[in-house]
Amino acid sequence: FRSEIMEMKVNLGKDSYSIFIQQGLLNHVLQYIEPLYQGKKIVIISDDQVFGYYGHQIESQLQLKYQVGHIIVPHGEQSKRFDILPSLYSQLLSFPLTRTDLIIALGGGVIGDLAGFVASTFLRGVKFVQIPTSLLAQVDSSVGGKVAVDLPEGKNLVGAFKHPSVVLIDPLTLKTLDQRFINDGMGEVIKYGCIFDKDLFHCLESYSSFDELYQNIDEIIYRCVDLKRDVVEKDLFDFGDRLALNFGHTLGHAIEQYYHYERYSHGEAVSIGMVQLTRIAELKGLTKAGTAKKIQDVVSKYNLPSAADLHTSDLKEAMALDKKNIHQKLSYVLLHEIGQSYIYPSDLSFIDEVEEV
């Protein structure tokens, strides 16, 4: 347990909020929520795995001051379906939660997206707090205010921008994460190094394994969150600088969708997307030679895949539905080299020259 706390502020005018990172922070949730929320009721939205680990610890603190309820959904991407929403709204109404009350998202990226979307739409919006428990959610999805649910046609097709009141990150929750989901989060960590921060990338190259990296996990999370904060402050609604965060995602989302979200996790699919897109960009002379190999070496060090053995014709169908496909143009995020990204507008023909990824 480390006593020092890392704090940063996301400066967005009236929507500004703080992010706190500290090992053992979940033992002190009440002291962070009390100054921000003087209402009476709180509902925690979580999944059946995470709530089993941390639900009681958080509820028992909050019950000293608030009336607390919880809603538990099955773990996994399937719980982010649009058609799960009516049952969640019904449970909130029977609690009953009012417009001046609070929702806490306790879990990984799926719960953060789902609970955030519920908070943004229920009674036209109630306050919410992010307590991300997976590496992917801690370094990426809990910050920036993007919340969404999935339709049968694709991921995150119904969404909103809803900023949390505070983000509370306790890296000790990673101890209960399945190894595959550690790897999953590392896909996004590596992405930040690729697009913005060659020092972070070299740092990831220098560790022999995640266990060694974990000794410095607070600093790594802080660095990723700080990079994301910087982008979000400059580009709130996802049309400019923020597009760089989609590095690897255009192919990645298509791979996830092709396999109906059953074969590859998000971080695994992004990892494949980063390597393969960079390989294609190198063939076209758009990225410094040797960059794809560097990325491939790092993703394999953290047990992530770099190829999907998929024909590009299969991918194109899924990519055509991508919500970033604006006016039939796709914005590909490419690298000049590690740490320097740029946006390259093209269309689906960009991936024509290769048979498979």
Side-chain angles (χ1 to χ4, degrees), residues 99-267:
R99 280 192 70 175
T100 53
D101 294 327
L102 179 76
I103 287 172
I104 292 179
L106 172 66
V110 166
I111 290 296
D113 274 7
L114 174 66
F117 185 77
V118 167
S120 75
T121 48
F122 183 69
L123 306 178
R124 293 208 181 93
V126 300
K127 280 184 164 182
F128 94 116
V129 165
Q130 283 272 21
I131 304 183
T133 58
S134 72
L135 182 58
L136 191 143
Q138 290 178 357
V139 299
D140 192 74
S141 59
S142 66
V143 177
K146 284 166 72 170
V147 296
V149 290
D150 302 339
L151 293 178
E153 292 85 350
K155 274 185 74 151
N156 299 335
L157 290 174
V158 181
F161 286 92
K162 170 77 172 172
H163 293 285
S165 300
V166 68
V167 180
L168 303 175
I169 297 175
D170 184 344
L172 290 180
T173 60
L174 304 183
K175 295 282 191 194
T176 54
L177 262 195
D178 186 76
Q179 183 60 45
R180 185 174 180 192
F181 291 103
I182 291 288
N183 304 343
D184 187 50
M186 283 306 298
E188 294 286 352
V189 174
I190 294 163
K191 175 195 81 175
Y192 280 110
C194 288
I195 57 178
F196 292 138
D197 189 342
K198 71 173 187 302
D199 292 342
L200 173 61
F201 189 86
H202 295 326
C203 176
L204 300 175
E205 281 180 316
S206 72
Y207 295 115
S208 58
S209 64
F210 181 80
D211 288 340
E212 193 186 326
L213 175 149
Y214 188 79
Q215 308 309 309
N216 296 311
I217 192 69
D218 300 42
E219 288 81 3
I220 299 239
I221 293 170
Y222 185 92
R223 187 72 195 117
C224 292
V225 170
D226 200 31
L227 290 165
K228 176 129 187 205
R229 175 197 60 76
D230 189 47
V231 172
V232 169
E233 286 177 359
K234 288 181 190 152
D235 179 24
L236 197 50
F237 294 115
D238 214 12
F239 285 106
D241 292 355
R242 193 165 178 164
L243 283 171
L245 297 172
N246 295 321
F247 178 54
H249 285 57
T250 304
L251 291 183
H253 276 166
I255 291 165
E256 281 182 279
Q257 196 187 324
Y258 180 80
Y259 289 112
H260 307 292
Y261 310 105
E262 286 161 4
R263 177 156 174 190
Y264 293 108
S265 70
H266 178 70

